[in-house]
Amino acid sequence: MDREDLVRLRRVRDLIDREYAEPLDVPRLAREALMSVGHFQRSFKEAFGETPYSWLMTRRVERAMALLRFGDQSVTDVCMAVGFTSLGSFSARFTELVGQTPSDYRASNHDQLVGIPGCYVKHATRPTRREGTRSGSEKRDDGGAS
């Protein structure tokens, strides 16, 4: 992969990180990267180790974790605030990545994170795909990333 492709892919990754709560789909992201959809998906996975859709879902769940830890919004409000349109798909993806439901995560004790700089908390709590799991939504990498 050449340097220009990597620069465009980083810009798209940054766009996902900034606009995670907006409706984003793979064809739009591919256009932003000036690549075909197939080339974009393969290149993104090669560069960052996961598909654009997985990156987006992880970013949304990561932000939801922060809102659930320290916010007073309902699980439904958090679901909508991070860009999911269905509470069921939010709960399923959250549970897949975090290992517990959003309600259970909120009820957990997070006192050990108080006073730790946010950048360290973000790194320490970043959700990762559990071994052997693959949700049906992962198959939506054909463009249904919202």
Side-chain angles (χ1 to χ4, degrees):
M1 183 177 325
D2 67 19
R3 182 174 165 23
E4 289 179 21
D5 281 352
L6 283 173
V7 168
R8 287 194 300 269
L9 289 169
R10 279 191 214 114
R11 284 187 188 138
V12 171
R13 184 192 62 189
D14 291 346
L15 172 93
I16 294 170
D17 290 347
R18 267 191 326 275
E19 298 183 20
Y20 63 87
E22 300 301 318
L24 296 173
D25 60 34
V26 173
R28 174 187 167 199
L29 298 173
R31 283 191 305 274
E32 293 282 340
L34 305 175
M35 297 176 182
S36 71
V37 170
H39 181 65
F40 169 68
Q41 289 187 87
R42 285 187 303 276
S43 298
F44 193 98
K45 185 166 185 171
E46 180 184 338
F48 305 116
E50 59 185 306
T51 66
Y53 181 76
S54 290
W55 188 274
L56 174 62
M57 293 298 106
T58 300
R59 175 65 61 228
R60 287 177 174 173
V61 168
E62 181 179 66
R63 183 64 185 134
M65 290 170 69
L67 292 172
L68 291 168
R69 271 195 309 272
F70 302 114
D72 58 356
Q73 293 177 307
S74 70
V75 171
T76 302
D77 289 342
V78 168
C79 164
M80 298 302 164
V82 299
F84 282 90
T85 56
S86 159
L87 185 57
S89 60
F90 167 67
S91 294
R93 180 54 61 112
F94 190 98
T95 303
E96 173 191 346
L97 292 175
V98 179
Q100 57 189 152
T101 67
S103 296
D104 289 345
Y105 182 80
R106 165 176 271 152
S108 299
N109 184 339
H110 302 286
D111 290 344
Q112 72 276 17
L113 301 175
V114 173
I116 298 174
C119 57
Y120 290 111
V121 171
K122 182 178 173 182
H123 179 72
T125 62
R126 180 164 170 83
T128 57
R129 184 164 313 288
R130 305 263 182 239
E131 284 300 315
T133 63
R134 179 180 169 155
S135 72
S137 58
E138 181 67 22
K139 297 173 189 165
R140 292 185 56 206
D141 262 3
D142 61 352
S146 61

